[in-house]
Amino acid sequence: MSSYQYKDFSNGQQIRLVKIKFDEAKPHALNLSLFHSDLDTSPEFDALSYTWGPPEFNGVPEKANTAPPHQSPLICDGMVLQVQDNLLDFLKVVAKKAAQPRLIWVDANASQVVVWLGRNDPHENVLWVNQAFAPAFLEAFPDDSDEAWLRQSSAFCDDSRIVERLGQEACNRWKPRGNITSTLLLVVAVFLLSGGEFLDWSYLLFFTGKIQTLGWYLQLGEVFPKTWFAVSRLSTFSHFLGVLNLGYIAPSTGLLSTSLDILYGASLDYTSSWYVKLSVLVSGVGANVTDPRDHIYSWLGLALEALPTGMENPIVPDYRLSTAEVYAGFTSLILQNTRYLYHLSCVADSSHKVVAGLPSWVPDYSIPSEERAYSLMAFRSDSTIEKVFDAAKIKEFNSYRPSTQENKLFVHGVCLDVIVDQGPNPLEMGHPLYLLEYCVAENSAYELTDEPRTWAMIRTIIADEPLSHLGPSGKAENFQLFLRDRCAEILYLIQKDHLLDADTAFQTRLTNALSQVSKSAMLQSTLPTLEEVMTHLEQGEELLHSKSPLLPLIETFGRHRRMYKTAKGYLGLGPKSLLQGDEVWLLMNSHVPFILRRDVETGTLRLIGETYVHGVMYGETMTDEFVQKVGLIEII
């Protein structure tokens, strides 16, 4: 039997469709037929997305899989057609499940996109959440009439009213499996087929929208940190699909559906809105690509479908450009057409940048989103959050526009202060000591907001995340438990000689700070005493597994960040690579402050990253006198 020979297309508007039919008499029980079809007159078909290479991920990056994938012979139109094993697995499943021959475009009129995830079935818990719990939850709470009390209830379905509607068995099974939500949501697709199981994407969209609207992702994120990233990622993607008016997307599921109104009011026209959504899609969702330039180019097909009427395509792929040139050009386009500096928050810590030659203000889009610090604005744009960061009061002072020229960014701003004390990262051993010594200092008030220093510290280390389900007492109690656990853990590891770099002076400072708490009734309401820490230390190795509910939140916002203090007394949480002498700036048309580094010889400024500064985030410093100091600066 001869090998299959592909025929040339008769015009540039044709595609190849394969008809799949189950036939036990043929190899692998597959009977295939390939034919050409004009896009304008083609019958309804499905489009397949699948990965080349091994049929299951083997832990080896795609670029490193140099061996050619194994192929198997199939009969197509009476000839032998060789296909990769991953495609063969998919064809066999589809042929068995389809009652009628099915048309597939394997290489748009497509009735749906089928994403083949591999031959293995998903875990039973993943299937249960997708096929049972999510549909049941959406059916039990179909509208907004229950929203008020649901927001105040537990995301782990402990409320008796939730149990009454869903059943005790479903609620019990959901409690330890909230992390399954993040597993499902981290996949970006339209229709999922894994092994022999179908995962209905529409349920994921609606269910995610509900979790976001209720603010439950905050609670789930305390126990399962990846949930935050997953909700943000899927919400961004689903909203952009909603822009395309696809029937299966609920408008309320998109993060941007509420955030654009909150962040920019009615000041964005359709063109600017398109650029904002594209920027969040590229920087917030990400893509797995082999050519780093495709972190930009791979989204253009989807983005152009949402291009406003009359607007010309502003981005044409050009692989003659370097990755740095593509990234800089894209960032410049976003900044000049949105007017606001939200996109600068995508700049990762400089120590993580991979692409060489990037200006400091250009994000490295090749860094996976989960490996960057969470943007301070990532979850502040949820409609459940009353106060959104607005450090520069962008709605009142919005006449300033950024511009770029020859890899330089020109913006208006004011230097707020200079960093004089570089604190630790939340995961470093010195972090609890830094917090304690700050809170027990003689001057117990944070003068810039006239509140206790302990409260200023609590709000700073979690970037003032509201955590409305905890309330003020809940925050204080959890902060106290966090410090107790961390101090006891450090002392235990020192005793076991696991922290050899911890000298006697460090231990003395830690015990002295804890002793200070014992002398103040006010401090004891938010900080642990030495006696409480030593009692907890008696648990021995078990205390290593004792984790405060606040720990995942602190780790999430503190990841790739560190504490710092400024000359005027400001307390901040900034990029991990910040240094003493760096400057804290308020840039006009930005919701958050930024840290810039000045070259002592040339005076040029480089962007280090966004920062939380306590007492600045809601426009407290934007007085008429302060605004008069605004000037044009150049960032390289």
Side-chain angles (χ1 to χ4, degrees):
M1 190 175 293
S2 60
S3 299
Y4 189 89
Q5 299 295 321
Y6 289 99
K7 299 177 182 179
D8 293 333
F9 292 124
S10 60
N11 62 65
Q13 296 298 312
Q14 287 189 324
I15 59 173
R16 291 186 182 94
L17 297 178
V18 59
K19 180 183 288 187
I20 307 170
K21 185 178 180 180
F22 183 75
D23 187 345
E24 292 183 340
K26 297 291 191 297
H28 304 288
L30 287 170
N31 189 3
L32 305 181
S33 178
L34 266 175
F35 64 95
H36 294 179
S37 177
D38 289 327
L39 282 173
D40 294 337
T41 59
S42 67
E44 189 175 87
F45 62 89
D46 295 334
L48 170 67
S49 172
Y50 76 103
T51 182
W52 288 25
E56 291 297 331
F57 180 63
N58 59 5
V60 180
E62 186 173 350
K63 289 182 179 179
N65 279 307
T66 56
H70 182 265
Q71 295 186 328
S72 299
L74 293 177
I75 303 302
C76 180
D77 295 328
M79 293 176 282
V80 178
L81 176 66
Q82 299 285 341
V83 299
Q84 295 182 14
D85 286 353
N86 200 24
L87 177 57
L88 175 61
D89 290 337
F90 170 79
L91 295 175
K92 290 191 292 187
V93 170
V94 170
K96 287 183 179 180
K97 285 183 172 289
Q100 299 293 331
R102 193 162 179 176
L103 293 180
I104 300 286
W105 177 33
V106 187
D107 226 53
N109 294 346
S111 59
Q112 62 189 8
V113 176
V114 179
V115 178
W116 174 244
L117 299 181
R119 63 177 62 155
N120 293 341
D121 287 339
H123 191 278
E124 61 178 351
N125 290 334
V126 173
L127 290 175
W128 176 77
V129 171
N130 179 260
Q131 299 175 350
F133 185 80
F137 188 90
L138 294 171
E139 182 177 352
F141 306 101
D143 50 42
D144 299 333
S145 59
D146 301 302
E147 187 173 307
W149 67 267
L150 279 173
R151 286 187 179 186
Q152 302 302 318
S153 63
S154 168
F156 298 96
C157 298
D158 295 326
D159 192 291
S160 59
R161 290 169 290 185
I162 299 178
V163 174
E164 182 180 349
R165 298 194 193 183
L166 295 179
Q168 189 66 59
E169 182 179 352
C171 291
N172 288 342
R173 187 172 181 182
W174 165 251
K175 288 178 186 178
R177 294 180 174 84
N179 62 326
I180 295 298
T181 306
S182 64
T183 302
L184 286 168
L185 305 185
L186 285 171
V187 181
V188 175
V190 178
F191 192 76
L192 310 181
L193 178 59
S194 181
E197 299 290 343
F198 290 96
L199 303 180
D200 192 330
W201 183 248
S202 61
Y203 281 130
L204 292 183
L205 293 177
F206 286 106
F207 188 53
T208 307
K210 201 75 172 180
I211 288 176
Q212 181 191 344
T213 301
L214 298 176
W216 280 14
Y217 66 89
L218 295 172
Q219 298 180 49
L220 293 173
E222 293 173 26
V223 182
F224 313 115
K226 285 187 177 180
T227 302
W228 288 354
F229 170 72
V231 169
S232 175
R233 181 176 184 178
L234 180 66
S235 297
T236 301
F237 183 73
S238 64
H239 178 76
F240 208 93
L241 291 179
V243 175
L244 306 184
N245 297 317
L246 300 181
Y248 49 81
I249 303 298
S252 63
T253 63
L255 175 69
L256 293 181
S257 60
T258 55
S259 66
L260 286 181
D261 291 337
I262 295 174
L263 298 182
Y264 306 115
S267 61
L268 287 182
D269 55 26
Y270 288 115
T271 300
S272 297
S273 177
W274 182 85
Y275 279 107
V276 170
K277 293 166 187 173
L278 176 60
S279 76
V280 178
L281 187 67
V282 169
S283 61
V285 178
N288 293 322
V289 298
T290 53
D291 189 320
R293 291 168 291 192
D294 288 333
H295 284 289
I296 307 296
Y297 294 153
S298 63
W299 293 107
L300 296 184
L302 176 62
L304 293 179
E305 292 293 330
L307 202 66
T309 303
M311 178 179 169
E312 295 185 3
N313 174 19
I315 305 174
V316 178
D318 185 351
Y319 289 94
R320 296 170 299 177
L321 300 176
S322 67
T323 300
E325 289 173 323
V326 172
Y327 288 7
F330 175 78
T331 305
S332 177
L333 196 65
I334 295 297
L335 292 174
Q336 294 187 64
N337 285 279
T338 59
R339 205 168 70 234
Y340 302 102
L341 301 182
Y342 180 91
H343 200 73
L344 291 185
S345 292
C346 303
V347 175
D349 191 294
S350 59
S351 61
H352 286 78
K353 285 190 174 182
V354 176
V355 175
L358 287 177
S360 67
W361 50 274
V362 175
D364 187 342
Y365 302 101
S366 69
I367 301 175
S369 300
E370 60 268 29
E371 294 182 11
R372 293 185 242 137
Y374 284 98
S375 167
L376 294 174
M377 289 294 293
F379 306 105
R380 306 287 309 188
S381 52
D382 188 349
S383 59
T384 64
I385 295 177
E386 297 82 6
K387 297 181 71 176
V388 175
F389 293 148
D390 192 13
K393 290 190 174 181
I394 66 171
K395 293 179 182 178
E396 296 180 33
F397 305 98
N398 59 9
S399 60
Y400 303 93
R401 297 188 71 94
S403 61
T404 61
Q405 183 179 1
E406 297 180 350
N407 283 341
K408 298 176 182 178
L409 172 65
F410 298 91
V411 294
H412 290 80
V414 183
C415 180
L416 181 69
D417 206 355
V418 177
I419 295 175
V420 295
D421 181 52
Q422 176 185 339
N425 173 269
L427 303 182
E428 295 174 357
M429 184 186 67
H431 186 246
L433 177 60
Y434 187 86
L435 302 186
L436 279 169
E437 289 187 331
Y438 180 84
C439 293
V440 302
E442 291 185 9
N443 184 6
S444 60
Y446 186 75
E447 297 180 0
L448 300 166
T449 57
D450 194 27
E451 63 183 330
R453 291 166 71 95
T454 303
W455 277 109
M457 178 61 76
I458 293 174
R459 293 175 64 184
T460 300
I461 62 174
I462 59 174
D464 207 23
E465 182 62 47
L467 299 181
S468 55
H469 64 285
L470 289 180
S473 61
K475 286 184 187 179
E477 179 181 347
N478 278 283
F479 181 68
Q480 189 177 46
L481 291 175
F482 163 73
L483 279 180
R484 184 204 66 182
D485 292 351
R486 291 289 285 128
C487 290
E489 179 182 356
I490 289 172
L491 291 175
Y492 174 80
L493 293 175
I494 291 175
Q495 290 178 2
K496 297 298 181 180
D497 293 329
H498 294 312
L499 294 178
L500 300 179
D501 58 338
D503 55 20
T504 304
F506 176 88
Q507 298 180 55
T508 302
R509 287 172 58 193
L510 183 60
T511 53
N512 285 345
L514 290 169
S515 298
Q516 287 291 105
V517 179
S518 303
K519 301 175 183 178
S520 169
M522 182 183 72
L523 291 177
Q524 291 177 36
S525 64
T526 52
L527 301 174
T529 64
L530 178 60
E531 294 77 11
E532 291 170 339
V533 170
M534 298 308 293
T535 299
H536 193 55
L537 183 61
E538 294 175 1
Q539 295 186 27
E541 189 173 348
E542 292 184 7
L543 66 83
L544 298 178
H545 307 290
S546 176
K547 302 298 181 183
S548 161
L550 205 61
L551 179 59
L553 184 63
I554 294 173
E555 291 178 338
T556 296
F557 281 100
R559 185 177 56 157
H560 308 308
R561 291 192 173 100
R562 66 172 66 251
M563 306 290 298
Y564 67 86
K565 288 179 283 190
T566 72
K568 297 178 182 177
Y570 284 109
L571 186 64
L573 184 66
K576 194 174 181 179
S577 59
L578 68 83
L579 299 172
Q580 292 184 24
D582 286 346
E583 301 173 3
V584 181
W585 280 74
L586 280 183
L587 303 182
M588 306 308 290
N589 286 12
S590 176
H591 292 85
V592 298
F594 289 89
I595 292 179
L596 304 181
R597 182 169 299 158
R598 187 182 300 274
D599 187 289
V600 293
E601 295 182 358
T602 64
T604 55
L605 294 168
R606 300 182 64 86
L607 176 65
I608 305 302
E610 65 174 5
T611 180
Y612 175 91
V613 185
H614 195 60
V616 171
M617 305 306 292
Y618 304 104
E620 297 92 329
T621 63
M622 293 296 289
T623 62
D624 291 340
E625 180 181 359
F626 187 82
V627 173
Q628 290 177 2
K629 302 176 183 177
V630 171
L632 181 66
I633 62 172
E634 173 188 313
I635 302 176
I636 63 172

